[in-house]
Amino acid sequence: MSAGTSGGVVISGLTLAFGRGETRRDILRGIDLEVPAGRITGLAGESGSGKTMTGLAVCGLLPAGAHLGGSIRFEGIELIGLRQRAMNAYRGARIAMIFQDPTASLHPMLTIEAQLVDHYRHHTRASRAAARARALEMLGLVAVPHPQAALRKYPHQFSGGQLQRIAIASALMCEPSVLIADEPTTALDVTVQAGILRLLRRLCDELGIAIVLITHDLGVMSALADTIAVMRAGEIVEQGDRYQIITAPRHPYTKALIDALPDAGSIPDTRTRSVPGQGPAGIEEAS
């Protein structure tokens, strides 16, 4: 691992546990991961492997009772142990997160304008007019139709795909260096899914953002990520260039995940092919 990455994140020896003594549950075990600027780093694995917990650790959004160890460095700053006030200045501004369910980050009773404008002004000293102009710019960037009209609407007035684009616009309001996308397309249909993935690729290439793409779908990874880290039971078992991971996997677990992908052109099999093994006891996560 390098000592640091400008605009990115370097994770070294990251551990996460809940409880103490006989009730202790180890969730993450020695995670080493570099997320450089202008690249999409895929974090793959089954539910319970620790992917989402890794993303939440970077954002400082872990539940109460979490015991973190190791190092998370962002632009040379150590995030583990950072005071809450200082972490709040990074979270949502320099480090942003997109969730699987866009309604998790959008208030149902507030207009899109109120949410984007207030979010921007919370992290900057911008006037309301400047914040509104920024909101329009971001909605245009992520291709939300009719941005002016969209600002006046409420979340329930949009489709799932449009809501996810709005959630991405909200995440981009403060020009983050790091964007963590946690299963951003799982709840969307295939056509909308493809559009969101193309959008993430374009944002990475054009804005130079470091993106962490969290998903159980290695098919998505193979189409989008530059590098892939495969997680199992709270550990990274294999990581490397996308082409190498997909075409010449070295770890049996990675091979099993690839074998579980549906064959292109075949009749869909509704039976789920499972991968042997399980995550650490007590892990529960959405992805």
Side-chain angles (χ1 to χ4, degrees), residues 86-100:
M87 189 64 210
N88 288 341
Y90 288 112
R91 183 173 53 240
R94 305 294 295 138
I95 304 172
M97 190 162 185
I98 306 167
F99 299 93
Q100 178 177 335

Side-chain angles (χ1 to χ4, degrees), residues 40 184-185 192-202 213 220 223-224:
I40 296 179
T185 62
V192 177
Q193 205 177 91
I196 296 296
L197 294 176
R198 285 195 299 269
L199 171 61
L200 290 176
R201 181 76 262 176
R202 180 166 63 88
L213 177 63
V220 168
L224 195 65

Side-chain angles (χ1 to χ4, degrees), residues 6-70:
S6 177
V9 168
V10 177
I11 300 172
S12 303
L14 181 66
T15 60
L16 169 64
F18 290 96
R20 296 187 184 278
E22 294 182 358
T23 64
R24 179 184 172 95
R25 292 176 293 151
D26 292 313
I27 308 301
L28 300 177
R29 301 179 176 92
I31 301 297
D32 292 327
L33 185 68
E34 187 166 340
V35 184
R39 305 272 288 177
I40 296 179
T41 302
L43 208 50
E46 292 185 294
S47 295
S49 61
K51 309 183 304 298
T52 292
M53 288 296 183
T54 301
L56 293 175
V58 173
C59 292
L61 290 173
L62 290 169
H67 306 294
L68 267 181

Side-chain angles (χ1 to χ4, degrees), residues 142-156:
V142 300
V144 171
H146 313 295
Q148 288 273 8
L151 284 180
R152 297 190 294 270
K153 294 181 179 180
Y154 293 85
H156 74 271

